[in-house]
Each structure stands twice: as C-alpha cells, then as structure tokens.
Amino acid sequence: MDFPAFTEAAPVTALAVPHRSYRLEENAEMYTHGRALAHDLDALHELSRLADHYERGVGLLTWRYASAAVVLGTSILDRVTGGRPALTAAAVTALCEEPTLGQLRDALSIPCTDLLIAREPVFRDRHEEERQALLHAVEGIIECAAELGDGVPGTAAALWAGRLTAFDRLDTDPLYEGVLTRLLPFAEQFPNEISWYLKQSRAGALPRQIRT
C-alpha cells in the first residue's frame, strides 16, 4: 500500500486547506478594515479554525497508521531475516494499533545492516542514514512533549510509554510536525523489503553471513 502524498506541494492535501484559508482571511481583513460589517472576515476566521482541526485530524490519523506500519514491518522483517517463527495472528493484530513512542523508538533502533541483509551495501547505507535521522526526530518529539504541560507527562519514561496522539494538544504545534514526512516513506519500504528478501532467499542469492 502506498501512502498518499503529504506535502505542501500537493494540490489537495490537509496542509493546503488551512494555508489557503489563512490567505483568504488575510485578504478579507484588508478588505473589511474600517467597515462596519465584517461577516466575510468572521466566516473566514471560522473556516481557518475548522481547517486547523481538519489538518490536525488528518495528521494524527496518518501518524497512527504510519507508525504502526513501521513497528509491524520491522517486526516481520526482523523475524524473517533472523529465521525466527512467524508472529501469531494476535500479535499482528496488536501491532496494527498505534504503537507507543517507546515501541517506535525500539523499532527504529534496529540497524539497517541487520534488516536489509539481502541488499547491496550502498542501498543499506542510504537507508541507515534515513533510519538514524528518523530516530533522532522521534527523540525530539519527547523533548517537545515534555514542555507541553496541560496533562501531558513531564518525564521521559512516561512519554516513551505513551502514544503521540494522546499527547497532542490543539493549541500547540503538532508533535508530528517535521517527523511525519520522514515516517511515511520509511513505512512504505517494508512490504517491498520483505518481498525482496523472500525472493532472494528462494533464489539462493542471499549473502552467506545470515544474522541469527
């Protein structure tokens, strides 16, 4: 499954809606300045508020499934390459839920040299850089969340044990900001990598040094 584009360049995305509403509101504010009736401005202000909620909702929904895809994909690929038994149906079902930030950190802590053993070194090195950058970004979420207050735990241990969607607050910048764009392409790779490993394994084309 390919995740939809989640960039400001996309013509119709959750990000485009609030940005356009902000521009309309700014134009209306200039147009109605000094006038008694400002219904246009009131309507656009409400539109901006609704757009904020829409953007946040889409972002959090995307985070839930993308983070679960990373943890589930890592777990499956780790077992396949390590020659361990497959996950049970119950375990897979549990891993389809949004992971805690600690679970996501643990998944991102496995080096690509351990997971992408059927790939060329150059390919592994490129993905290893992406993994490290994403892990660092997730660690940054903890630092930001610790400063929120408003019922959000202030200790690292409690934050790692919780889920991002439970800590997000509407009156602050989204905790996923700057991380989601890295998480999505990372999540997308796992079906292909699992398939590639199995294909190479059946063809007897795996390297001799198989991780145990």
Side-chain angles (χ1 to χ4, degrees), residues 101 139-150 152-155 159 164 167-168 175:
L101 290 167
E139 291 170 344
I141 290 176
I142 297 298
E143 296 177 5
C144 293
E147 300 176 355
L148 290 179
D150 192 21
V152 177
T155 65
L159 290 168
L164 179 142
F167 300 146
D168 192 77
L175 288 172

Side-chain angles (χ1 to χ4, degrees), residues 128-141:
E128 178 63 12
E129 291 178 2
E130 295 169 359
R131 180 195 69 81
Q132 292 182 14
L134 183 53
L135 177 59
H136 180 70
V138 170
E139 291 170 344
I141 290 176

Side-chain angles (χ1 to χ4, degrees), residues 27-107:
N27 292 338
E29 189 171 355
M30 293 176 58
Y31 178 75
T32 58
H33 181 70
R35 300 189 179 190
L37 298 178
H39 296 301
D40 289 350
L41 183 59
D42 292 341
L44 288 169
H45 178 72
E46 180 65 11
L47 175 62
S48 295
R49 187 187 68 81
L50 293 172
D52 282 338
H53 283 263
Y54 172 70
E55 176 187 358
R56 186 66 63 100
V58 171
L60 292 174
L61 179 65
T62 305
W63 174 272
R64 281 172 50 199
Y65 286 101
S67 59
V70 168
V71 174
L72 176 60
T74 300
S75 299
I76 293 174
L77 187 56
D78 184 47
R79 284 177 172 269
V80 169
T81 58
R84 292 191 294 280
L87 293 167
T88 64
V92 170
T93 299
L95 290 174
C96 287
E97 299 295 327
E98 179 189 357
T100 66
L101 290 167
Q103 288 175 307
L104 181 58
R105 175 196 56 190
D106 292 345

